[in-house]
């Protein structure tokens, strides 16, 4: 049996919606299906100010542009994240300032944020690793007391809940990913959520190449023209058609993935060497969308050998992010590996187990029985 790491899920409605979109002859951004997706997000989660983008990377960039991030600014973020989080501010000339993560959930360690704030700090970008919400209320409290903006990178957490509200509604701006590695996908896609109403009109200009075309489409004026900076940050409507079919299946997809995560937790709890393994701590205020299940093994060497042996059994288990501060780009920016010892240590020991919505019982059982044998051979 071959167990892949991920396999995009098909809800069954994708082709019908895509075919409708084709027939409409309106394939570019902000047409029928984009509106349907936004209406769906509002109805399901109360999300307003949603701008569908070609990726989460584009959403992060659009957010940084909207907030006027520029040369001389500092932006605090975890080093344990994807390159897009840092690039979103770096490309505008700002400096990413890397913060440690907390071993309880691999998200930014809130207690270490304040010591990084300087007179140049403009923004904090926390992420929700594995789909598990970060401590966003505490982060907002710090940001508000220093007058900083928060752009929440929810690339992995569409559908996750923080105090019973979707992750992405709490910060000034939030970004989702609908890449095919994510729970809900249209191949490549994303969204910027502008939670502050007063910023939404300007966001609509930035996304449409710096024009006020959105006002024309609303019937507020006859023509549109160049009014601001901008770029092309629109998701094609034909992709929004696919996305709608996925978001409409949110409850089914989430239930399946949460069941898989819970089965992984039960598996670990029953292992005789469970105390040598670290898993994400569960928190009653947070409900993950089941995006990732990971283990932290005792050493980097054991982690690497575990992945190799799983691979020999045709099971794809993966490492997590490679810390940004110690990457070659991070080093060029002046960071040293030893600047963030906790991040470096945890990132060297993490392994992500295969998980996908269509995972069968046979695939799951094959995975855990092989993983149990391999762990028994590596741990004493
Ligand atoms: C935290 C984080 N931010 C941003 C991204 C980029 O998402 P996209 O591929 O939609 O641009 C990813 C991708 O996995 C991510 O993990």
């Amino acid at each position: 049996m071959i167990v892949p790491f991920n396999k995009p899920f098909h809800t069954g409605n994708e082709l019908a919606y895509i075919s409708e979109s084709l027939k409409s002859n309106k394939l570019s951004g902000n047409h029928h299906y984009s509106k349907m997706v936004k209406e769906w997000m509002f109805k399901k989660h109360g999300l307003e100010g949603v701008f569908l983008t070609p990726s989460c990377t584009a959403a992060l960039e659009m957010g940084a542009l909207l907030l006027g991030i520029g040369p001389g600014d500092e932006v605090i973020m975890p080093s344990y994240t994807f390159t897009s989080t840092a690039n979103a501010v770096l490309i505008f000339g700002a400096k990413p300032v890397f913060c440690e993560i907390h071993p309880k959930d691999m998200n930014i360690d809130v207690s270490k944020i304040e010591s990084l704030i300087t007179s140049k700090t403009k923004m904090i970008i926390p992420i929700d690793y594995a789909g598990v919400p970060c401590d966003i209320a505490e982060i907002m409290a710090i940001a508000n007391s220093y007058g900083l903006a928060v752009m929440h990178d929810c690339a992995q957490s569409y559908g996750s809940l923080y105090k019973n509200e979707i992750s992405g509604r709490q910060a000034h701006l939030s970004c989702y990913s609908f890449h095919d590695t994510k729970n809900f996908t249209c191949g490549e896609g994303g969204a910027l959520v502008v939670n502050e109403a007063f910023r939404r009109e300007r966001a609509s200009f930035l996304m449409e190449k710096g024009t006020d075309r959105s006002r024309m489409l609303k019937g507020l004026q006859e023509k549109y023209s160049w009014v601001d900076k901008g770029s092309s940050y629109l998701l094609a409507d034909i992709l929004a058609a696919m996305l709608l079919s996925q978001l409409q299946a949110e409850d089914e997809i989430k239930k399946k993935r949460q069941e898989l995560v819970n089965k992984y937790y039960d598996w670990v709890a029953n292992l005789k060497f469970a105390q040598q393994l670290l898993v994400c701590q569960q928190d009653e205020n947070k409900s993950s969308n089941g995006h990732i299940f990971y283990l932290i093994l005792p050493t980097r060497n054991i982690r690497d050998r575990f992945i190799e042996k799983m691979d020999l059994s045709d099971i794809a288990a993966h490492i997590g992010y490679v810390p940004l501060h110690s990457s070659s780009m991070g080093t060029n920016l002046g960071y040293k590996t030893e600047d963030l010892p906790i991040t470096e240590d945890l990132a060297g020991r993490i392994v992500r187990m295969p998980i996908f919505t269509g995972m069968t019982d046979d695939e799951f059982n094959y995975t855990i029985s092989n993983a149990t044998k391999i762990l028994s051979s590596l741990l004493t």
Side-chain angles (χ1 to χ4, degrees):
M1 179 179 291
I2 297 178
V3 182
F5 183 72
N6 175 49
K7 214 193 278 181
F9 180 66
H10 302 176
T11 68
N13 287 330
E14 285 86 354
L15 287 178
Y17 290 4
I18 289 170
S19 148
E20 277 304 307
S21 172
L22 273 176
K23 281 188 217 144
S24 76
N25 290 326
K26 302 256 187 233
L27 309 184
S28 59
N30 279 338
H31 288 296
H32 174 71
Y33 278 104
S34 302
K35 286 191 195 115
M36 296 275 285
V37 167
K38 289 189 252 180
E39 275 169 28
W40 176 266
M41 288 179 164
F42 176 66
K43 206 173 74 186
K44 180 91 182 145
H45 293 295
L47 285 167
E48 290 182 87
V50 174
F51 295 83
L52 297 179
T53 57
S55 62
C56 183
T57 303
L60 288 159
E61 290 175 19
M62 183 175 153
L65 183 62
L66 183 61
L67 294 178
I69 300 299
D73 294 339
E74 293 181 355
V75 179
I76 298 170
M77 64 186 69
S79 164
Y80 190 72
T81 182
F82 196 59
T83 56
S84 303
T85 319
N87 275 331
V89 301
L90 198 64
I91 59 170
F92 292 110
K95 180 183 172 197
V97 173
F98 296 118
C99 185
E100 284 280 31
I101 48 171
H102 200 291
K104 72 180 164 109
D105 60 4
M106 302 293 280
N107 281 326
I108 196 164
D109 184 339
V110 177
S111 71
K112 304 220 162 94
I113 293 178
E114 268 187 282
S115 64
L116 299 174
I117 297 176
T118 70
S119 57
K120 296 180 179 168
T121 309
K122 260 283 192 59
M123 178 161 76
I124 305 171
I125 314 186
I127 79 160
D128 290 346
Y129 185 62
V132 176
C134 61
D135 295 320
I136 190 67
E138 288 84 345
I139 295 168
M140 291 307 292
I142 295 173
N144 289 336
S145 73
Y146 286 89
L148 307 176
V150 177
M151 177 156 68
H152 191 173
D153 183 339
C154 302
Q156 303 186 339
S157 59
Y158 184 84
S160 298
L161 304 180
Y162 180 82
K163 296 187 178 164
N164 293 323
E165 177 181 69
I166 192 169
S167 197
R169 276 195 72 186
Q170 301 79 14
H172 303 107
L173 301 176
S174 301
C175 303
Y176 295 120
S177 172
F178 302 118
H179 186 267
D180 80 359
T181 49
K182 303 301 185 295
N183 295 18
F184 314 98
T185 183
C186 56
E188 299 269 2
L192 174 68
V193 185
V194 181
N195 284 314
E196 294 174 302
F198 78 93
R199 294 192 193 276
R200 290 180 192 151
E201 180 164 76
R202 177 145 191 260
S204 73
F205 300 160
L206 301 192
M207 111 173 305
E208 283 264 23
K209 300 97 177 165
T211 73
D212 55 2
R213 185 165 175 270
S214 57
R215 290 179 60 80
M216 185 191 76
L217 295 177
K218 283 185 191 155
L220 298 171
Q221 57 198 49
E222 275 185 17
K223 291 189 193 146
Y224 68 90
S225 64
W226 190 19
V227 294
D228 206 323
K229 295 176 190 171
S231 188
S232 182
Y233 290 121
L234 295 98
L235 179 73
D237 214 57
I238 192 160
L239 292 179
M242 171 159 178
L243 184 57
L244 181 67
S245 75
Q246 297 261 316
L247 299 188
Q248 286 176 338
E250 178 184 326
D251 293 346
E252 179 196 348
I253 292 173
K254 216 158 74 171
K255 183 164 173 279
K256 181 67 207 280
R257 297 188 78 113
Q258 288 171 338
E259 278 167 12
L260 288 167
V261 166
N262 289 335
K263 276 167 48 174
Y264 270 129
Y265 271 114
D266 290 347
W267 164 66
V268 174
N270 289 314
L271 289 172
K272 69 172 191 295
F273 29 75
Q275 65 293 352
Q276 294 184 53
L277 308 169
L278 203 62
V279 290
C280 181
Q281 264 175 37
Q282 288 175 296
D283 179 330
E284 60 182 14
N285 285 321
K286 302 174 183 181
S287 154
S288 158
N289 61 4
H291 180 55
I292 287 174
F293 178 84
Y294 64 80
L295 293 172
I296 312 270
L297 298 181
T299 66
R300 181 187 284 262
N301 181 265
I302 291 176
R303 189 273 309 264
D304 292 347
R305 282 161 60 207
F306 176 76
I307 292 176
E308 273 165 31
K309 287 179 179 245
M310 289 287 274
D311 191 46
L312 290 175
S313 305
D314 286 327
I315 303 166
H318 286 177
I319 62 168
Y321 298 126
V322 177
L324 297 184
H325 76 282
S326 53
S327 65
S328 60
M329 189 64 188
T331 311
N332 288 343
L333 291 172
Y335 288 97
K336 294 189 287 307
T337 303
E338 55 274 23
D339 288 342
L340 298 169
I342 298 170
T343 299
E344 206 55 38
D345 172 49
L346 294 171
R349 295 193 285 132
I350 193 169
V351 56
R352 294 179 295 150
M353 300 294 281
I355 188 165
F356 46 94
T357 309
M359 193 173 198
T360 63
D361 286 348
D362 282 352
E363 286 170 326
F364 182 82
N365 292 333
Y366 179 75
T367 300
I368 56 163
S369 74
N370 278 281
T372 306
K373 278 187 230 144
I374 294 168
L375 286 173
S376 309
S377 73
L378 294 174
L379 302 174
T380 45

